[in-house]
Structures are given as C-alpha cells and as structure tokens.
Amino acid sequence: MPTKPNPDFVAFIKAYPTYPRTEAIDRLRASEYGRLDADEHIYLDYTGGGLYADSQIRKHHKLLAEHVFGNPHSSNPTSLAATELVEHAREYVLKFFRADPEEYLCIFTPNASGALKLVGESYPFPGGRYLLTFDNHNSVNGIREFAHARGAEVTYLPVALPDMRVDESQLDEQLAGAIPGANNLFAYPAQSNFSSVLHPLEWIARAHAQGWDVLLDAAAFVPTNPLDLSAVKPDFVPVSFYKIFGYPTGLGALIARKEALEKLHRPWFAGGTITVASVQGDKYYLADGAAAFEDGTLDYLNIPAVEIGLKQIESIGYDLIHERVHCLTGWLLDNLTQMKHSTGEPLVRIYGPTNNEARGGAVTANFFDQDGQPIDHRSIEAEANKVNISLRTGCFCNPGAGEIALGISSMELAACFTQPEHESRLSLDDFRQCIDGKASGAVRISVGPVTNFNDVQAFLEFARGLLR
Ligand SMILES: Cc1ncc(COP(=O)(O)O)c(C=O)c1O
C-alpha cells in the first residue's frame, strides 16, 4: 500500500518549493553523516560547531598512516613532506575564499579567537580609533582592551530591536570620524552568532573609503555562505575551520591583506617567527609573511585535514548548502512565530529577523509561559536534552547583542558592576541576581549543511509540547 505523504512535509514543500533541489544532501547524510541518525541525534548547534563527513576522517587517517611527517621547521625529508602539505593547505584556503595570493596571506591559528588576538595585540592603535558593533563575539570585544591600553578611542555602534541591525546613518556618521594620520579599525561580524543577521559586506568598501581598516569576523558566516575575497576586500578575516566542516578542531586562520599586515607590530617573537634572534646582541628579525605570525610549531599533522574539509564543502557546494539552510530556517521561523498558548500569549520571542531576509540559519529566542512569563533558558535546554536535541543556550559569547535583546540597560549593568563585592569577582549567578526578573540568556537553534526536515520537525514538536 503506498504510504500517505506527511501533511507537514507537503505544506513545507508548498512553502519552500526549492527544497527538493537539495536532495543530494539527504543521500550524503545517509552515507557520510550516518552517525547522526544511528544515534537519533537532533543536532541543532551548527553555529557552535559544524559536523564532519566520515570520509574526511578516513582520508586524513590514511594520509597519516601512509606517510612519515616531521616538524616543518627543518629541511630533512620528513620535514619537507610536512612543509609541502602545510603550504598546499595554505594555498587551498586562499583559493577557497577566492583570495589573490598576491594580495592576501593565510596565517594558521588555533581558532578564530587566535586570529583576532593576533590583530588586537599587533594593531598600531595609539592615537587612533577602534569602532565595533554591539553585535560581536567576545573575541572581537576583547580587542578593545588592547585599544584602551594603547590610548585609542573605542566606540560601540548599537544594533536596534526588533531586527537587531545597525542603523546605517549612525554607521556613516561614525565612519566619517576616522582620525586623520592615525590608524582606525572597524570590526563587525559578516553574520551575527546571536541573531544570525547578515551585516552588509558593502560596509567594507565604505569604511575603506573613509580611511578605516576593516576586520570582518567571518567565523559564523562562512559555514553556510561563500566569502569571495576577489569581490570584497576586508583587511583581516578570522575563521575557525571546525565551524565550517567539523574536523579538525584546534585550527583557524587569519586571512589578511598583505598591505594591512605590514602595519602590524608583533609584541614578541617566538620559535618560528624570526629569521635571526640573538641573546648577546639583544636583537631579532621577524620572518617574512605568514611565518612572522605563527608562533612555535604549527599543527602540521592536522593542517592537511583543512584541505580535505574544504574539498568536502566544495563537493556539496555552497549553493545547495545555502538553499537548504534558507528553506529550513524559513520553516522554523514560520512555525515558531505562530505558536500561541490557549491564553493567546505567544510561545516565543525571537531576537532578530523573523523572516528570511538577509539572515542566516540560527534562530535565537526565549520561551514564555501562558501568562507571558519567561521560561528560564536553562530549563529549555534541560528538557531538550531529554529528547536528544542539541541546542545552545546562554549569550553565545556575544554580550552586546544579548544586552540589547534582553533589555538590560547600561544603568543596570553599572549598578551591578560597581557593587563593592563585585569589584573583581562576578559569577554568572551573581549576574542573574543583578538583572533580577530578566532573562540572562536565550536559546539558539541553528541549522547547517546536513540538517533535514525531520530535525526541524522534531524541534517544532518539542516546542509545541511547551504550549499550555
Ligand atoms: C562570530 C564568531 N566569531 C568568533 C568566534 C570565536 O571562534 P572560536 O571560539 O573558534 O575561536 C565565534 C565562535 O562561536 C563566532 O561565532
């Protein structure tokens, strides 16, 4: 007897008719990501970390099993073999992002935060400005400490509810205020890891025209969107590879314009970063290019897995990934925004765009009961855990977006931070008490390349179960 089509799936396809074009991903999920379904995982934290295909592991292990690699800081045969693979991976990263090797360099780092720290500690801030959006990961916020310490002016550009985008007239006003003769750095995420807003890439050229260097945090953007560095020319681009293709962890890159890199002054030297350093002569000479920024021995056994991972993404294709994420996010938003308790109170409040315009595949929200009272995000996570749904809760290391979304004012924060007992210590629980009655975090559901309709339906079922 033919099985009756699932009416929800029928409605989904009616709303998102392009989804069947991504069918190849379903076959791929069965062959390469089978562990997801074998263990009945509903994985919805792709903004936290991507997933690897089984073949990435096999290819990498085969490479390691069949060759002998030595520390690349030498010129013996095993060392040269490692160097060749590392340099190949470096070239491949540039090719993947369509970055001209004449113009850009790929510096390997432990993660996106490591790439950001390289910029922060080396940027010539004195007398200049550091402009950044409220909506930024803490590793971008942290650069302000280097800026403060070197006397730069630090300015935050707000984002506004409900969509959590930047008011462009405020942006233009700030960009017009670059300090002449000094160095001015503007930092923003191409995609927010909080609201999933896609902040315009057109800002890069606009900022350049006004004399700014641009740090484009692409960590949350590149897992589901192509970044074409032949079309846009940010100066510094940090990425984490595990966010794009899951394996290996512990590797990221700073993709940087050579011209902008020349401005940076490293605060120290280390093994691998110099051509010559002398003890008695108290002098050192930095190496050229990427080496000057790569402290100590590179993760030379894992770096070849980066090329394997990038090829995996290319074999799926960003077109397909993007289309799938777009359809599933749309369905998630359409359904969540319609869920209401019997009292008429909405179940969720979404922070960020509630439609599919200029946004990525993460939906961040808080849940409310039938009286309109917030349900603690930690209890949502605890309930989701029981049904094997992996989602993310908290502020996702993006306190600026969190403060705006949750309505936590600067006055409330000042009142909390200036209490004598909070002079140098503040636990998360203390912080919760300070902002009494307000949510201190949210729930983030993020879809990725191999999410399927069933994953999203499982989450929607879970959410419906909270209706009273
Ligand atoms: C937008 C953004 N930037 C930077 C980072 C930092 O990445 P990592 O923790 O891999 O250093 C993250 C991680 O979640 C992120 O989402």
Side-chain angles (χ1 to χ4, degrees):
M1 210 169 68
T3 48
K4 259 176 69 184
N6 171 342
D8 287 329
F9 189 66
V10 172
F12 168 60
I13 296 301
K14 195 158 172 230
Y16 296 95
T18 54
Y19 184 78
R21 276 196 228 146
T22 71
E23 214 183 349
I25 291 184
D26 292 310
R27 291 193 293 276
L28 191 71
R29 173 162 164 151
S31 62
E32 288 275 21
Y33 302 80
R35 61 195 189 279
L36 268 176
D37 294 313
D39 292 340
E40 298 184 357
H41 276 292
I42 311 295
Y43 186 78
L44 292 170
D45 189 21
Y46 285 86
T47 303
L51 296 182
Y52 51 83
D54 295 348
S55 61
Q56 284 173 242
I57 308 295
R58 282 199 304 276
K59 285 176 190 162
H60 185 219
H61 284 185
K62 186 170 185 300
L63 184 81
L64 297 183
E66 291 178 359
H67 297 86
V68 181
F69 297 114
N71 188 317
H73 287 155
S74 194
S75 45
N76 61 53
T78 51
S79 174
L80 290 175
T83 302
E84 194 184 318
L85 285 184
V86 167
E87 293 313 313
H88 205 266
R90 208 188 287 286
E91 280 166 30
Y92 210 89
V93 171
L94 292 180
K95 189 166 150 256
F96 184 85
F97 293 110
R98 303 194 63 190
D100 179 351
E102 292 292 310
E103 190 180 8
Y104 279 94
L105 266 184
C106 165
I107 297 163
F108 285 116
T109 62
N111 45 35
S113 301
L116 287 158
K117 186 161 179 249
L118 279 179
V119 178
E121 69 185 12
S122 314
Y123 192 78
F125 278 119
R129 290 188 67 191
Y130 181 41
L131 173 67
L132 68 169
T133 46
F134 261 60
D135 182 6
N136 258 313
H137 189 274
N138 262 340
S139 302
V140 179
N141 288 324
I143 291 178
R144 76 176 184 221
E145 299 305 312
F146 292 112
H148 281 313
R150 294 198 214 114
E153 185 187 318
V154 175
T155 313
Y156 271 106
L157 197 59
V159 293
L161 286 168
D163 273 13
M164 303 197 65
R165 297 189 200 274
V166 168
D167 172 347
E168 301 232 356
S169 62
Q170 285 186 32
L171 171 68
D172 286 336
E173 203 178 296
Q174 287 299 334
L175 290 180
I179 297 176
N183 292 292
N184 301 278
L185 181 64
F186 171 42
Y188 74 98
Q191 178 171 317
S192 168
N193 71 327
F194 189 97
S195 63
S196 215
V197 158
L198 296 175
H199 296 292
L201 297 178
E202 296 79 58
W203 291 354
I204 299 164
R206 233 197 278 175
H208 278 161
Q210 301 272 16
W212 295 81
D213 295 316
V214 179
L215 189 168
L216 181 77
D217 179 1
F221 179 79
V222 290
T224 54
N225 303 280
L227 178 64
D228 181 350
L229 294 177
S230 70
V232 290
K233 307 275 179 188
D235 299 282
F236 306 109
V237 184
V239 296
S240 271
F241 291 114
Y242 70 88
K243 286 197 191 287
I244 315 178
F245 41 75
Y247 174 89
T249 50
L251 271 171
L254 174 65
I255 303 160
R257 280 185 64 234
K258 290 181 179 174
E259 203 184 312
L261 269 184
E262 279 172 18
K263 279 192 178 183
L264 302 188
H265 301 292
R266 294 223 62 200
W268 82 320
F269 65 89
T273 68
I274 43 99
T275 52
V276 174
S278 159
V279 169
Q280 296 182 83
D282 192 18
K283 184 118 178 111
Y284 68 92
Y285 297 86
L286 274 186
D288 284 334
F293 293 88
E294 292 172 338
D295 298 338
T297 301
L298 280 171
D299 191 351
Y300 61 93
L301 291 183
N302 275 322
I303 286 174
V306 167
E307 184 170 338
I308 294 170
L310 292 173
K311 285 181 174 157
Q312 172 66 11
I313 295 297
E314 284 172 333
S315 75
I316 306 174
Y318 270 118
D319 285 357
L320 237 54
I321 293 172
H322 196 269
E323 191 60 54
R324 192 164 181 101
V325 165
H326 180 81
C327 296
L328 292 172
T329 310
W331 183 247
L332 202 52
L333 290 166
D334 296 347
N335 281 272
L336 281 177
T337 49
Q338 277 170 23
M339 289 185 193
K340 292 205 167 49
H341 292 285
S342 55
T343 53
E345 289 290 343
L347 177 68
V348 297
R349 175 160 182 219
I350 291 171
Y351 306 118
T354 49
N355 62 28
N356 238 341
E357 292 275 301
R359 61 135 46 247
V363 177
T364 295
N366 264 319
F367 289 72
F368 292 81
D369 68 15
Q370 65 272 37
D371 301 321
Q373 294 304 310
I375 305 174
D376 193 316
H377 60 272
R378 289 166 300 173
S379 76
I380 299 287
E381 180 172 30
E383 289 306 307
N385 290 348
K386 289 181 193 163
V387 287
N388 224 16
I389 296 179
S390 293
L391 40 73
R392 186 67 165 258
T393 61
C395 260
F396 331 120
C397 291
N398 189 329
E403 286 162 20
I404 288 187
L406 305 173
I408 302 169
S409 69
S410 56
M411 263 166 38
E412 266 171 293
L413 292 164
C416 176
F417 297 157
T418 52
Q419 286 172 26
E421 68 272 30
H422 296 154
E423 170 92 31
S424 57
R425 252 194 69 81
L426 182 73
S427 69
L428 204 52
D429 281 334
D430 296 335
F431 182 63
R432 281 196 190 100
Q433 279 185 357
C434 279
I435 53 158
D436 189 28
K438 288 191 175 154
S440 60
V443 178
R444 183 180 72 195
I445 308 117
S446 54
V447 304
V450 295
T451 308
N452 64 17
F453 177 72
N454 290 344
D455 292 332
V456 170
Q457 278 305 97
F459 178 75
L460 291 173
E461 256 335 286
F462 166 77
R464 268 184 212 108
L466 299 168
L467 288 172
R468 298 287 175 267

